[in-house]
């Protein structure tokens, strides 16, 4: 789905009611669990939680450091958990959480795709989201950019 919204409220208002309900439920769960210091925004046609440039301006693309993103695509929903991309232990926790919840994980490098809310074990997502403060995320990012040195 193409979104030209500049605010989360506009993003949600642009969704059909059934899709808005799913995105809102996941968004609310993330908002309750995400550590303080991340900013919620709309970027890349998604609701994002990111480290603001005012806090950490040294990103490779001069954009805020993205941590989580949530989007309603045409045929599915996408939840990007960026830590899972660079942290094998976090990825294993997510995979194990889905397995224990009896859910099928449809995931790319950091993108979990799901078609309905029931496909997503929210406790697994909120546990993952809650695990990393902005300071820790910045350290992980800097380490990845320096080759782990």
């Amino acid at each position: 789905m193409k979104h030209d919204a500049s605010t989360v409220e506009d993003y949600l208002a642009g969704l059909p009611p059934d899709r808005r309900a799913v995105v809102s439920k996941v968004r609310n769960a993330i908002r309750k669990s995400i550590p303080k210091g991340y900013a919620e925004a709309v970027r890349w046609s998604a609701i994002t939680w990111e480290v603001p440039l005012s806090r950490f301006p040294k990103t490779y693309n001069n954009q805020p450091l993205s941590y989580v993103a949530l989007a309603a695509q045409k045929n599915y929903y996408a939840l990007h958990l960026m830590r899972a991309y660079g942290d094998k232990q976090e990825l294993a926790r997510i995979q194990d959480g889905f397995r224990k919840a009896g859910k099928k994980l449809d995931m790319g490098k950091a993108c979990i795709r799901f078609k309905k809310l029931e496909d997503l074990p929210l406790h697994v997502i909120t546990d993952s989201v809650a695990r990393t403060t902005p300071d820790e995320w910045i350290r992980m990012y800097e380490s990845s950019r320096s080759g782990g040195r």
Side-chain angles (χ1 to χ4, degrees):
M1 298 182 86
K2 183 170 178 357
H3 297 280
D4 58 359
S6 60
T7 68
V8 174
E9 292 73 23
D10 289 343
Y11 183 95
L12 293 170
L15 296 174
D18 59 327
R19 296 180 66 71
R20 183 180 320 121
V22 171
V23 170
S24 293
K25 178 96 175 180
V26 176
R27 174 187 177 232
N28 289 339
I30 291 169
R31 290 180 73 187
K32 287 178 184 172
S33 61
I34 198 159
K36 295 213 180 300
Y38 290 103
E40 185 181 56
V42 173
R43 194 173 311 283
W44 303 296
S45 298
I47 299 170
T48 63
W49 289 268
E50 55 198 25
V51 178
L53 287 173
S54 60
R55 167 70 180 86
F56 184 72
K58 301 181 295 185
T59 63
Y60 77 95
N61 61 359
N62 299 314
Q63 297 292 318
L65 184 58
S66 186
Y67 178 56
V68 176
L70 173 63
Q73 303 294 340
K74 183 176 180 180
N75 296 313
Y76 60 91
Y77 303 93
L79 180 61
H80 298 266
L81 300 176
M82 299 309 293
R83 180 168 174 187
Y85 176 70
D87 183 337
K88 290 179 183 176
Q89 288 180 329
E90 188 60 27
L91 176 60
R93 279 194 216 48
I94 292 167
Q95 291 168 331
D96 188 51
F98 268 75
R99 190 184 87 265
K100 286 179 178 174
K103 307 290 183 180
K104 182 179 185 286
L105 177 61
D106 179 3
M107 185 174 190
K109 290 182 179 181
C111 177
I112 297 172
R113 294 171 291 274
F114 61 103
K115 293 197 180 236
K116 56 187 187 288
L117 188 58
E118 296 76 28
D119 295 338
L120 194 66
L122 276 178
H123 69 283
V124 173
I125 302 309
T126 57
D127 287 352
S128 179
V129 166
R131 207 176 320 281
T132 309
T133 67
D135 287 341
E136 292 168 326
W137 187 230
I138 290 168
R139 280 192 296 276
M140 293 173 80
Y141 171 81
E142 289 177 322
S143 177
S144 74
R145 300 300 293 173
S146 67
R149 292 173 262 165

